[in-house]
Amino acid sequence: MFRNQYDSDVTIWSPQGRLHQVEYAMEAVKQGSATVGLKSKTHAVLIALKRASSELSAHQKKILPIDDHIGISIAGLTADARTISRWMRTECMNNRYSHDTPLAVSRLIGDLGNKMQICTQRYVKRPYGVGLLVAGYDDLGPHIFQTCPSANYYDCRAMAIGARSQAARTYLEKFLDQLGDCDMEELIKHGLRALRDTLPNEVDLTNKNVSVAVVGKGMPFTIYDDAKVEPFLAGIEGEERRGQRPAAGAAAEEGAAEGEAAADDGAAQPPAAADQQEGMDTD
């Protein structure tokens, strides 16, 4: 995206009917590390890929608890997510105080959508630069909701957001019909496989860069980090990754491609923009 005369304020429409500041906020979600949410008939699962800003720092938390029956996973600006999560916790506490019952997940998401919409209509505020996957369980069963900086929200059977998340969505679409009948362990395995597809071939999931959260029937929202993730990772250990080429075959293909490029002096070079996008996706 490039700056233009219609993106100086969130209240300015372009001639094409677009709000560029909102679109820029949605780009921030695409730059965040990937996270996956999926549900069966009894459980909802969140799985997030954690990043460390440097080798000297700890991995940043990507899954935040809201109430005993609700939690969120984030992609985008962590500071914005902290503000939203604090507001969501307050709403849940107020409902328990007033009605002595947990807040329905769909009602909380509806109120959140209304709150986020204000930031797309008033010039004194900017849109939230974070996308959420919300997992919850209430009288209607398990839920997975996706929210966007545009204030749109969607009730999903499975979803992935963040960098390279299209690979995870492709996996989830392929196995979507099987998710409803999965038990908790199998559902987590599907989520880990989907998240693994968002990584480069030389990077793998470890107990340091993965968080898992589960909520379901008779089970409060529970987060698994560090050593607690090991049993789930062991369930997919040794499995061949989807779309991964054998090392020998990949090297042979790369050698052949280099030979063809050297032989053909007039071969077209890839555009610089594509190189920048690829580098940006692997951050």
Side-chain angles (χ1 to χ4, degrees):
M1 289 188 176
F2 301 96
R3 180 175 175 81
N4 60 65
Q5 60 181 324
Y6 300 106
D7 68 353
S8 59
D9 197 279
V10 72
T11 61
I12 298 178
W13 291 96
S14 75
Q16 292 78 29
R18 296 163 59 184
L19 294 172
H20 290 281
Q21 288 289 334
V22 176
E23 295 180 11
Y24 295 164
M26 297 180 72
E27 282 296 314
V29 177
K30 296 179 182 179
Q31 304 306 318
S33 54
T35 180
V36 175
L38 60 167
K39 68 177 182 178
S40 65
K41 295 178 180 178
T42 57
H43 293 84
V45 172
L46 295 175
I47 302 178
L49 185 66
K50 298 186 292 186
R51 283 178 179 170
S53 58
S54 71
E55 294 183 359
L56 302 177
S57 65
H59 287 76
Q60 205 165 33
K61 291 184 178 180
K62 290 291 297 288
I63 299 179
L64 305 175
I66 301 299
D67 201 349
D68 290 342
H69 66 300
I70 301 177
I72 63 173
S73 180
I74 66 174
L77 301 182
T78 307
D80 286 8
R82 288 202 305 268
T83 299
I84 293 176
S85 65
R86 185 169 59 248
W87 177 86
M88 295 174 73
R89 292 188 188 107
T90 301
E91 292 296 303
C92 289
M93 287 191 296
N94 288 342
N95 191 81
R96 284 185 180 273
Y97 180 80
S98 302
H99 305 287
D100 196 25
T101 185
L103 180 60
V105 182
S106 58
R107 180 178 175 183
L108 176 62
I109 298 301
D111 292 342
L112 176 60
N114 294 336
K115 176 181 174 65
M116 298 179 74
Q117 192 275 337
I118 295 174
C119 300
T120 68
Q121 196 172 10
R122 297 182 182 176
Y123 72 92
V124 295
K125 296 185 177 182
R126 64 161 176 81
Y128 290 102
V130 65
L132 307 180
L133 290 182
V134 183
Y137 188 90
D138 56 23
D139 294 339
L140 299 178
H143 301 276
I144 293 289
F145 282 94
Q146 177 197 3
T147 71
C148 303
S150 61
N152 289 324
Y153 55 90
Y154 308 94
D155 189 357
C156 307
R157 295 166 63 187
M159 181 52 63
I161 59 175
R164 295 177 176 264
S165 58
Q166 180 57 54
R169 288 194 294 271
T170 300
Y171 176 92
L172 295 173
E173 290 169 1
K174 182 177 180 180
F175 294 94
L176 187 60
D177 294 336
Q178 302 178 18
L179 299 180
D181 297 323
C182 290
D183 57 18
M184 187 189 78
E185 288 77 11
E186 192 62 31
L187 196 65
I188 293 175
K189 288 181 182 178
H190 279 298
L192 289 171
R193 295 185 189 112
L195 187 65
R196 185 173 58 183
D197 285 352
T198 68
L199 297 174
N201 287 339
E202 64 273 10
V203 181
D204 207 350
L205 299 178
T206 68
N207 62 358
K208 297 297 183 184
N209 64 6
V210 175
S211 287
V212 177
V214 184
V215 64
K217 187 175 182 180
M219 181 179 185
F221 187 81
T222 307
I223 300 176
Y224 301 91
D225 279 314
D226 300 328
K228 295 180 181 179
V229 181
E230 286 288 356
F232 304 125
L233 293 175
I236 64 169
E237 187 176 1
E239 295 182 1
E240 184 177 354
R241 295 170 63 165
R242 295 174 61 251
Q244 185 176 14
R245 296 178 298 174
E253 290 181 15
E254 290 176 1
E258 291 176 359
E260 291 177 2
D264 187 3
D265 293 335
Q269 297 297 321
D275 293 341
Q276 294 174 359
Q277 180 65 34
E278 182 64 24
M280 182 169 53
D281 287 346
T282 56
D283 287 345

